[in-house]
Amino acid sequence: MPRKGVNVVEPLRGPAGSVRTPVSAKSTLESIETAAAILASSPIHQTPVLTSESLSTLAPIGTTLLFKAENLQKGGAFKIRGATYALSKLSRSELDKGVVTHSSGNHAQALAIAAKAKGAKAYIVMPETSAVIKKNATEGYGAQVILSPPLAEDRERVCQEVRQRTGAYFIPPYDHYDIITGQGTVVLEMIRQAKELDKPLDALVVQVGGGGLLAGSSIVAKAHGIPIYAAEPELADDCFRGFESGKRIERVVTSTIADGLRTPVGTRNFEIILEKVEGVITVSERQIVTAQKLVWERMKMVIEPSAAVGVAVVLFSEKWKSLGIKGNIGVVWSGGNVDLDAPMPWTVIKE
Amino acid sequence: MPRKGVNVVEPLRGPAGSVRTPVSAKSTLESIETAAAILASSPIHQTPVLTSESLSTLAPIGTTLLFKAENLQKGGAFKIRGATYALSKLSRSELDKGVVTHSSGNHAQALAIAAKAKGAKAYIVMPETSAVIKKNATEGYGAQVILSPPLAEDRERVCQEVRQRTGAYFIPPYDHYDIITGQGTVVLEMIRQAKELDKPLDALVVQVGGGGLLAGSSIVAKAHGIPIYAAEPELADDCFRGFESGKRIERVVTSTIADGLRTPVGTRNFEIILEKVEGVITVSERQIVTAQKLVWERMKMVIEPSAAVGVAVVLFSEKWKSLGIKGNIGVVWSGGNVDLDAPMPWTVIKE
């Protein structure tokens, strides 16, 4: 079932020391709590936690589902958290040189928005195969988009050129402790909100692509004694295979509909995940789009396919069911950025 | 631009006395406040009031938009309010005979849900041209669906037969004081919520089809000194024309994409609207679907075309702009029931 937009994604490589990123401490519960305090005084939203009787009854008996609605976050995804926190670590003179990243997705928009809020220039390297709508959206947030050929080495070279020309700092999409720390605030917030709703979480299910969100979430979850499971598309199951073998898979070739998850898990991310996560559960393309449609239909919320992967696990996975986990299950909706002019994903994916 | 599903809708006629509905007092602010208290102890949701910087900046300068999210209501629309209140007026023995209505839309599902909550049987007469998905949804709520030929006189005859056979009460979709009273609770709630958000309403824009929601809303708005405007599709502008001439238009032939508004204003409704509403503003099909898409895209909320008519007025109407109304403008999203397997409305309506 190959489709247009097949991505070959590898971690950014290059000569040692060629990647200038701000020095950052390893992610911990404490650093995530600090990040949450910093984000609280930024324009980032505290997104709501939503429940749905209708969806909960479709999950295994004894389940109450809670959804963290990061689709309602600024920029339409959780990515703004990591970007904003990473930028908060830069000095004024560093900010004045600007920031650079490569992304065709939510991280691009997030960095553009976060940089604008700090009065910093953002350079976004995008594959020239990116949809015009994404390029326009990123430029709409004030960033400068630089197109590159789609291969990882070309992208890297272009990124490098921008860095050399401008002195901009490289803020990678996921394989960076400040990004991991920033994304960890999603679940920190959710755990508190669930308690306030009198539905303290018994387990968490968080999707994994590069692993920024999952790694940050797992640090918080483990520290709170809440078991956390990863959700991944079968078609991009590098985290699952890496987790089973204990060795990170470095390359992913995939056309999963969950376009935010078409990346291999990062090195820093994988190390954390291996230590903190209970297991990785995969779901089919059909399960992903069926879950996505159910959320639109029953909850009237627009979520993107990547955001539906965790929902698909708790609704449809036999493996999840066999674990027999009951109670208040937290699922993160990672984003809501969908091309509304394209056919809806559930009308495209047939089995 | 005729499409499938053109509706010819007339008010239910018949020999005098043939329509058995519970006796009900005229709608007043007091009756609406009483209804709100009754609904508060029912399973009906208090839906949130949402704001959007992004949409507000598209409206005339000086506007802050507030949206009442009745798409998140039980059954996906405000209709459950009127149905629940109307049923609350029936005695146990009356409930035991059941209730009947004709509707292929949100009122059908609403009455089915409200009846189930009361342990009453609901008979829903639907045109045999209705989408299977709607029939299934209504049956899914436990109602008995009876198909009739699509003409008003056939539908009426079938309704009559059900009443004679079962003794069921007729709960019409809009032309009934208890329905008007129940729907009025939407705006009563919104006025309070807007104050709590420290954004007291300066004006209201509410769409009109049969006029249940608009009539109820206008009673509350007028009593609170808040000017209220009606929003209507150009293609179904019976309220606009009736309002201008002071004489109700009794028949509507329309294929507007806003399928919840394909009805003429009811008699009781029109009388109230003429007295309480400041003006009626119409919008084009293209304006409706553009507004709908903007809400999906920017706010990540699924609303149906009918719910976007008020949004279209405040974003795109020159007439609205010329009124120069500023401040906190309340708009009601009436519902979020969309066939997600069909092409999205904004991909269908071209201008």
Side-chain angles (χ1 to χ4, degrees), chain B residues 100-300:
Chain B
V100 60
T101 199
H102 55 83
S103 166
S104 61
N106 290 331
H107 178 62
Q109 288 188 38
L111 190 64
I113 297 169
K116 193 178 180 187
K118 283 280 192 182
K121 182 106 193 165
Y123 305 94
I124 313 288
V125 178
M126 278 189 180
E128 57 201 12
T129 50
S130 303
V132 174
I133 193 174
K134 289 200 172 174
K135 176 169 180 284
N136 290 348
T138 306
E139 287 176 343
Y141 290 118
Q144 184 179 329
V145 172
I146 301 122
L147 295 176
S148 81
L151 287 179
E153 42 270 37
D154 294 314
R155 191 185 61 195
E156 185 198 340
R157 179 180 45 74
V158 175
C159 242
Q160 195 86 290
E161 282 167 15
V162 173
R163 293 206 301 271
Q164 279 165 0
R165 180 164 53 82
T166 62
Y169 271 102
F170 175 55
I171 312 258
Y174 50 83
D175 201 347
H176 189 284
Y177 287 124
D178 289 338
I179 296 293
I180 293 169
T181 297
Q183 320 302 32
T185 62
V186 174
V187 155
L188 190 70
E189 222 173 81
M190 187 181 194
I191 289 173
R192 181 177 47 70
Q193 289 171 303
K195 273 189 202 146
E196 287 167 6
L197 290 171
D198 221 14
K199 297 185 197 299
L201 296 182
D202 295 299
L204 274 155
V205 177
V206 174
Q207 58 278 68
V208 58
L213 178 63
L214 177 61
S217 299
S218 68
I219 290 167
V220 177
K222 188 88 175 180
H224 282 82
I226 299 170
I228 182 169
Y229 292 82
E232 198 177 32
E234 273 169 25
L235 288 191
D237 66 346
D238 66 288
C239 186
F240 172 75
R241 289 182 289 130
F243 193 84
E244 296 298 305
S245 69
K247 192 171 175 326
R248 190 175 77 92
I249 310 287
E250 294 184 11
R251 205 182 153 105
V252 170
V253 181
T254 180
S255 62
T256 174
I257 187 86
D259 57 351
L261 310 182
R262 288 179 188 159
T263 44
V265 179
T267 51
R268 293 164 187 77
N269 314 73
F270 186 71
E271 197 183 326
I272 296 168
I273 289 166
L274 209 51
E275 188 190 328
K276 310 277 188 189
V277 168
E278 303 294 319
V280 184
I281 300 172
T282 62
V283 281
S284 71
E285 297 292 289
R286 188 71 210 153
Q287 288 172 328
I288 294 168
V289 296
T290 304
Q292 186 193 13
K293 186 183 173 195
L294 275 168
V295 169
W296 288 44
E297 198 170 72
R298 306 285 177 92
M299 300 186 71
K300 312 301 180 193

Side-chain angles (χ1 to χ4, degrees), chain B residues 53-77:
Chain B
E53 260 179 61
S54 162
L55 286 193
S56 292
T57 53
L58 298 178
I61 292 169
T63 302
T64 298
L65 295 176
L66 291 93
F67 302 105
K68 178 68 170 162
E70 287 288 297
N71 59 326
L72 303 180
Q73 189 49 271
K74 254 197 194 313

Side-chain angles (χ1 to χ4, degrees), chain A residues 127-157:
Chain A
E128 56 200 15
T129 50
S130 302
V132 174
I133 192 174
K134 288 198 174 176
K135 178 170 179 284
N136 290 348
T138 307
E139 288 177 341
Y141 289 118
Q144 184 179 331
V145 172
I146 300 124
L147 296 176
S148 82
L151 288 180
E153 42 270 37
D154 295 314
R155 192 186 58 193
E156 186 199 337
R157 180 179 43 76

Side-chain angles (χ1 to χ4, degrees), chain A residues 205-211 214 229-244 248-249 251-252 254 256-258 260-266 270 273 277 279-285 287-288 305-306 308-314 317 319:
Chain A
V205 177
V206 174
Q207 57 279 64
V208 59
L214 178 61
Y229 291 83
E232 199 177 33
E234 273 170 24
L235 288 192
D237 67 345
D238 66 288
C239 187
F240 172 75
R241 289 182 290 127
F243 193 85
E244 296 297 306
R248 190 176 76 95
I249 310 287
R251 204 182 151 103
V252 170
T254 180
T256 175
I257 186 89
L261 310 181
R262 289 179 188 160
T263 45
V265 178
F270 186 70
I273 289 166
V277 168
V280 183
I281 300 172
T282 60
V283 281
S284 72
E285 298 291 289
Q287 288 171 329
I288 294 168
S306 302
V309 174
V311 185
V313 164
V314 296
S317 162
K319 182 168 167 194

Side-chain angles (χ1 to χ4, degrees), chain B residues 23 41 100 184 331:
Chain B
V23 177
S41 61
V100 60
V331 176

